[in-house]
Structures are given as C-alpha cells and as structure tokens.
Amino acid sequence: MDKAAVAAKLAEIFVNELGVDEADINDDLHYNVAPEWDSVGHMHLIAAIEEEFAIEIPDDAVVEMTSHGKVVEIVLRLVGAGANP
Amino acid sequence: MTTAPIRDATADDLGRLLALRRAFFETQIAAGLLDLPADLPAMLERTTPALVQGKRQHCFVAGADGSAEAYLWAVLRLVPGMRHTVVGSIEEVYAAPALQGTGAAGRLVERAVAWLRQQGATRIQTRVLADNGRALAFWARAGFAENVHILEFASK
C-alpha cells in the first residue's frame, strides 16, 4: 500500500470514527483541539487503524499520536509504506 | 437467590450483548441521561464487536448457566502526549431486570477494577451526571468518589 492509499484510508477512519468533517482533516488537526478527538475517541481511532491495516500499534506510538500528521507518519512507518506513491 | 457467575464475554455473546447495550442506551435515553445517537441500531452494530475483540478493552458478563443478563465494558485509554498516564474507564454497565438488585453490577465493577489495575491503569474513572443520585450512590458503594467536575453552560 503506498503513501497516498494509506493517507486516504486514514482520512476515511478519521471521518468514520471521530465524525470529523473531511474538509477539516489536515496534518495540523490535533488531539483535544478537534472536539470529537477526545481520549475515548482516540482509542476508537487506534482500534480502527489496527483493524484496517492489520497492525499492532505499540503503546508508545499510541501516546505519540497527538495530531493527524503524527498519525499518518506513524502508520506509514508501521505498514512500511514507501515515501512516494 | 444464587449469585450469577461473572465471565469474560466472547464472540458467542455478541447477539446478547447487542440486546443488552440497546436496553442500556434506551433506558439511559428515556431517563434523559444520554443523548440519542443519530442511528442507535447502526452505532451498536458497528461498535459492539470491538467489546469482545478489541485490544485495550474488555467486556465482562454475568448470568446463570452461561447466559448474559448483565455486562460491563471497560476501556484502557492511553492519552496522547501523556506518556505515563493510563486511564482505565468503565464505559457502560447494565443489568437486565432479572439481575437488578442482585449485586451483579457491583461484582462486575469489582472484576473490571481488578482487570484495569492488572493492565496498568494509573487511574480508574467512570462518568455520571451530577443529578443522577442513584448512579452516584452505586459508584460510591463501589469505591468511586467524585474527582473531576465538568461544568456545562446552563442557558435560561
């Protein structure tokens, strides 16, 4: 799965799990700044990402996911996607 | 009266869990304690499998002879940006009429607290509306005390 496909899947998960408007999804979307992204929402988000990509996100990485940009970066690392599509 | 045994919920309990969660939400909504989700059945269908399959969460059920007449859903929350904070949260607990008043819910809470501690929870929380006296009394008996207050703007 390339970077663009990972990013598209993640955008879908943010919309479905957090109810975030797709237009508001960008790297600067931050935990607890987006009202829908609270600590409960975060765990729903993590569960959905693990299921979608069939990966296990280490606890340290769960804590590091403080923004949409960080989520994309960490998921790309975990799925081993290439830097370019 | 026999004490309903408590066990881990499994995939075989999904149908029963759906019914119990629906009863939980309908009871809470009817009492004005929860807002009505946009599509309650769809939300329950979508989220219930994670109760028995998801990591960092656990569901316990109580009931005689392998049945499920009460359930509790506990979640471990790792908080972004907070490296050493693991919050255990009891999201839902409900007993069907057959088990109400039997102590099953309290025993589910005891089991959940033990599980959350075992998983490394540094704090264990649940959320109750300030004017829900019955629930506040239940949680006080289970060893929970008020700590965080969420203030809502009360328009006149």
Side-chain angles (χ1 to χ4, degrees):
Chain A
M1 187 179 283
D2 63 29
K3 184 177 177 179
V6 169
K9 276 287 174 201
L10 284 173
E12 202 175 295
I13 291 171
F14 268 75
V15 170
N16 291 339
E17 298 301 322
L18 301 180
V20 176
D21 192 326
E22 194 165 2
D24 294 332
I25 296 176
N26 59 63
D27 284 356
D28 288 332
L29 180 71
H30 274 77
Y31 168 77
N32 253 356
V33 174
E36 306 89 345
W37 192 356
D38 59 11
S39 62
V40 176
H42 191 63
M43 299 318 289
H44 290 308
L45 186 71
I46 298 302
I49 293 171
E50 289 184 328
E51 185 181 343
E52 177 62 41
F53 294 97
I55 55 175
E56 189 160 321
I57 303 174
D59 288 356
D60 282 355
V62 173
V63 173
E64 282 173 29
M65 291 174 157
T66 53
S67 68
H68 175 264
K70 289 295 286 184
V71 172
V72 173
E73 176 191 319
I74 289 168
V75 172
L76 283 171
R77 194 169 71 219
L78 291 171
V79 300
N84 298 304
Chain B
M1 182 187 299
T2 55
T3 302
I6 293 170
R7 61 183 172 81
D8 298 335
T10 71
D12 291 341
D13 296 308
L14 272 181
R16 187 63 189 137
L17 276 174
L18 264 175
L20 288 170
R21 290 192 77 207
R22 184 169 190 143
F24 165 78
F25 274 87
E26 287 176 350
T27 306
Q28 298 277 305
I29 290 164
L33 301 172
L34 276 181
D35 293 332
L36 177 65
D39 187 342
L40 178 61
M43 184 277 283
L44 293 175
E45 286 279 351
R46 184 172 60 83
T47 59
T48 302
L51 269 65
V52 295
Q53 295 159 3
K55 275 174 51 189
R56 304 185 183 98
Q57 56 187 314
H58 206 87
C59 183
F60 298 96
V61 292
D65 304 321
S67 67
E69 294 297 328
Y71 80 101
L72 180 149
W73 176 30
V75 175
L76 278 168
R77 286 191 261 145
L78 303 175
V79 184
M82 304 289 282
R83 186 156 299 280
H84 301 292
T85 301
V86 179
V87 179
S89 175
I90 296 178
E91 295 292 314
E92 296 169 17
V93 57
Y94 174 78
L99 284 191
Q100 287 175 11
T102 67
R107 288 184 296 105
L108 282 166
V109 172
E110 280 176 25
R111 180 71 75 89
V113 166
W115 181 79
L116 289 165
R117 280 185 170 152
Q118 193 180 40
Q119 302 300 310
T122 49
R123 289 163 32 211
I124 298 174
Q125 302 177 335
T126 193
R127 282 162 294 175
V128 178
L129 288 182
D131 61 357
N132 188 349
R134 192 174 160 206
L136 286 168
F138 168 81
W139 288 106
R141 285 196 301 277
F144 286 68
E146 281 186 64
N147 185 15
V148 179
H149 293 260
I150 295 174
L151 305 184
E152 280 194 1
F153 177 69
S155 59
K156 291 183 179 175

